[in-house]
Amino acid sequence: MKRYTYILFVLMIAFVAGCSSEKQANQNKEKEDKTNEQVDVDKGLLSVKLTLPASMFEGQDIDQVIADAKNEGIEVTKNQDGSLTYKMSKAQHKKMMKEMKENIVKNVEETKNSKDYASIKDITYNDDISEFTVEVDKAAYENSMDGFVALGLGMSGMMYQLFNGVDPNHYKVTIYIKDQASQKVFDQIVYPDALKEKSNQQ
């Protein structure tokens, strides 16, 4: 199952790229395109169906993606629009979500301890990965590129919620940037709103 979870995180990167391309496309088709980009999760009594849009598989060997999932005991159906529908037991889905969360936590710990982000002193999060609080040395943070950490946290949180069945029209991840010395929040970033705002500025 760990290999399958890794595949999902690779798909997350493709999802980010897909969102960026979509928002630079024809604005008149934005609503329709957004619908096509959604991850659809159907939680039944005994199983979970997860449909991923075709855009998440661009540049990948689709047959290999299907084979990898089937090797994990997961049923896969290729749809006419290029999307893939994964059918798994609730136990498999629960295990997948657990491993996704463990990967997010691992990445958070690595970021906190990395010398590459000297201004970041601590990162905490809530149970459903919808909120992160990043404690920083404010002066050092504002004079660095460490703010990019928020993007990674936001995308991880959004993908976690999507795969967990949160409504694609209502999911969000809030990043609070807090000054460690004063314990005051001086910035707040909300995803996916921040992605839309950035796109509109381009």
Side-chain angles (χ1 to χ4, degrees), residues 143-154:
N143 289 290
S144 72
M145 301 296 288
D146 291 356
F148 281 109
V149 166
L151 176 61
L153 296 175

Side-chain angles (χ1 to χ4, degrees), residues 7-202:
I7 292 169
L8 292 181
F9 273 87
V10 171
L11 293 178
M12 181 176 73
I13 297 173
F15 179 82
V16 177
C19 285
S20 177
S21 298
E22 175 194 355
K23 288 170 184 174
Q24 292 175 10
N26 192 331
Q27 295 297 316
N28 294 330
K29 301 177 85 177
E30 180 178 357
K31 187 174 292 186
E32 179 184 351
D33 290 344
K34 184 178 179 182
T35 300
N36 292 335
E37 293 296 312
Q38 290 179 357
V39 175
D40 182 31
V41 180
D42 178 18
K43 293 185 177 181
L45 291 175
L46 301 175
S47 62
V48 176
K49 286 186 178 181
L50 179 69
T51 299
L52 306 180
S55 61
M56 296 182 75
F57 302 100
E58 290 180 3
Q60 298 185 60
D61 182 343
I62 197 70
D63 292 330
Q64 187 61 52
V65 170
I66 293 173
D68 288 341
K70 288 184 175 180
N71 285 339
E72 300 292 343
I74 297 171
E75 295 180 30
V76 185
T77 301
K78 184 176 180 180
N79 304 309
Q80 289 186 344
D81 62 359
S83 64
L84 293 183
T85 297
Y86 295 77
K87 183 179 180 181
M88 64 193 79
S89 68
K90 283 203 165 184
Q92 285 175 312
H93 184 258
K94 184 177 181 179
K95 185 177 181 181
M96 182 186 76
M97 297 312 302
K98 179 176 180 289
E99 291 178 353
M100 285 184 73
K101 188 172 184 178
E102 288 174 350
N103 273 305
I104 292 172
V105 171
K106 180 181 178 181
N107 289 333
V108 164
E109 292 301 314
E110 289 177 350
T111 299
K112 284 163 51 174
N113 298 316
S114 173
K115 294 180 180 179
D116 294 333
Y117 307 107
S119 72
I120 296 177
K121 305 305 179 183
D122 194 17
I123 302 175
T124 56
Y125 45 87
N126 64 351
D127 189 58
D128 65 356
I129 317 294
S130 63
E131 292 183 1
F132 292 89
T133 298
V134 183
E135 287 195 21
V136 303
D137 176 322
K138 185 178 180 181
Y141 177 84
E142 291 179 336
N143 289 290
S144 72
M145 301 296 288
D146 291 356
F148 281 109
V149 166
L151 176 61
L153 296 175
M155 294 309 303
S156 295
M158 285 193 295
M159 195 58 64
Y160 180 85
Q161 291 180 65
L162 284 173
F163 282 110
N164 204 27
V166 176
D167 186 341
N169 295 313
H170 297 100
Y171 76 114
K172 72 174 182 177
V173 178
T174 304
I175 315 292
Y176 300 100
I177 311 298
K178 179 191 289 188
D179 178 29
Q180 187 181 51
S182 67
Q183 288 295 293
K184 291 183 178 179
V185 173
F186 64 90
D187 195 12
Q188 177 178 317
I189 309 163
V190 179
Y191 290 95
D193 295 353
L195 296 176
K196 296 176 184 177
E197 291 171 4
K198 185 176 181 180
S199 177
N200 290 335
Q201 292 173 357
Q202 292 179 346

